[in-house]
Amino acid sequence: MKIEIFRIFAPMNEEKRISVVINTRNAAQYLQEVIDAVQGFDEVLICDMESEDETLDIARRNHCRVVTFPKADHKSAEPARTFAIQQAQGPWVLVVDADEIVTPELRDYLYRRIEEPDCPAGLYIPRWNRFMLRYTKSLSYDRQLRFFRKEGTVWPPYVHTFPQVAGRTEKIPAREKNVRFVHLADETISDLVRKTNAYTDGELQKRSAKHYGLGALIGRPAWRFFRNYVLKMGFRDGLPGLIRAGMDAFYQFVLVAKAIEKNVKK
């Protein structure tokens, strides 16, 4: 495994409590903003998958520590997650995507929380997302398990998976104002179509033992549409809410169809 280290973000003899880990692959577009937002942490570690743009130049200018994980034929960052976490120098790790902003309120909350005796081993962090050029009412939030103790944590190498944390996990309460990630990237229809093809290929690896049929082909998309449009009140967002619910249903249809196709070929 090739590891490149350009410069340490903080002195080696300085005690580190929280390491920020950023996985990158041609991530120059938002990376400077992302790094600026995590300057108050003890370490910033970038795990790069052989970027070909200005990603590494930005990392060098900001004195980040950089390790390299081979791109190979990986279609997502998940295969590199466990490797990146293991390189962190602090006992606590915050995983940040290269298009996510950590709010000052989130940073302060995490440092305060790890000092409390009842701090869990992992925390689900709210994330504010943008779709079709706006942050919507019903579609804006999801929760990501991105903060945890380094020791014992393993991240499965499949897309759309959460890390396996050795211990109790909790959700950051909604009452904590502005304690969240802010997702800078706008999800367009083209993005969703592209991700649907790439990510469903990745998900097939973890569903290799599944044998879907007609029920799943109809039921999984129908449930996802109902959940997003009705239970999560996507209808409040007008056409963007309808479109987003439909695209999520489409993702499930493609995933099940590919699984059926794979089994037919055996």
Side-chain angles (χ1 to χ4, degrees):
M1 185 70 66
K2 179 176 66 173
I3 300 178
E4 300 177 18
I5 299 179
F6 296 122
R7 184 173 170 185
I8 304 304
F9 185 76
M12 286 294 291
N13 59 356
E14 182 177 313
E15 181 183 0
K16 295 176 174 62
R17 292 180 294 166
I18 299 178
S19 294
V20 172
V21 171
I22 305 172
N23 290 86
T24 58
R25 165 67 184 173
N26 295 337
Q29 182 176 4
Y30 301 110
L31 188 58
Q32 185 62 59
E33 293 176 75
V34 173
I35 293 175
D36 287 344
V38 296
Q39 289 293 328
F41 288 89
D42 300 295
E43 178 190 28
V44 176
L45 171 70
I46 291 184
C47 181
D48 186 68
M49 297 178 75
E50 301 179 330
S51 289
E52 298 166 345
D53 63 357
E54 301 300 314
T55 294
L56 294 180
D57 291 334
I58 296 171
R60 294 187 188 102
R61 290 200 300 267
N62 287 274
H63 316 309
C64 299
R65 189 160 65 93
V66 178
V67 298
T68 301
F69 187 90
K71 169 63 172 67
D73 59 350
H74 302 308
K75 294 181 173 61
S76 69
E78 276 70 18
R81 297 285 198 190
T82 297
F83 170 76
I85 292 165
Q86 291 170 345
Q87 308 310 307
Q89 295 176 345
W92 292 92
V93 173
L94 174 65
V95 174
V96 180
D97 280 352
D99 58 1
E100 294 173 344
I101 294 295
V102 175
T103 64
E105 292 85 356
L106 174 56
R107 181 193 61 219
D108 293 345
Y109 178 88
L110 296 178
Y111 274 102
R112 185 171 69 250
R113 197 74 174 92
I114 63 175
E115 297 299 327
E116 298 173 356
D118 65 338
C119 182
L123 285 170
Y124 284 85
I125 299 173
R127 183 173 63 173
W128 200 25
N129 300 301
R130 187 165 60 177
F131 178 64
M132 293 180 69
L133 302 177
R134 63 177 177 170
Y135 292 101
T136 56
K137 299 181 182 69
S138 64
L139 306 173
S140 292
Y141 278 101
D142 58 18
R143 290 182 181 272
Q144 301 291 324
L145 181 55
R146 299 282 197 77
F147 183 70
F148 40 77
R149 288 188 181 275
K150 171 185 171 181
E151 185 177 0
T153 296
V154 176
W155 201 306
Y158 309 115
V159 70
H160 290 165
T161 54
F162 284 152
Q164 298 170 353
V165 177
R168 177 173 56 90
T169 62
E170 288 183 2
K171 295 179 180 179
I172 294 178
R175 65 176 179 273
E176 297 289 344
K177 189 175 180 181
N178 293 326
V179 177
R180 62 192 179 192
F181 292 125
V182 177
H183 202 175
L184 296 176
D186 179 64
E187 273 199 317
T188 65
I189 303 303
S190 294
D191 289 333
L192 290 176
V193 172
R194 174 179 55 80
K195 289 178 181 178
T196 292
N197 191 47
Y199 288 1
T200 51
D201 281 348
E203 281 207 56
L204 284 179
Q205 299 176 42
K206 66 179 180 180
R207 298 174 185 273
S208 58
K210 295 287 186 179
H211 294 278
Y212 293 124
L214 179 61
L217 190 64
I218 297 173
R220 287 181 66 93
W223 162 246
R224 286 302 183 96
F225 182 88
F226 178 78
R227 187 188 69 173
N228 286 336
Y229 194 65
V230 179
L231 298 183
K232 291 189 174 183
M233 294 186 285
F235 59 83
R236 295 190 304 169
D237 293 310
L239 282 178
L242 178 64
I243 292 170
R244 189 64 181 85
M247 291 302 296
D248 198 28
F250 173 68
Y251 181 97
Q252 292 300 316
F253 184 88
V254 172
L255 175 61
V256 175
K258 285 185 176 181
I260 293 173
E261 178 184 51
K262 185 177 181 180
N263 287 327
V264 168
K265 291 180 178 178
K266 289 182 178 179

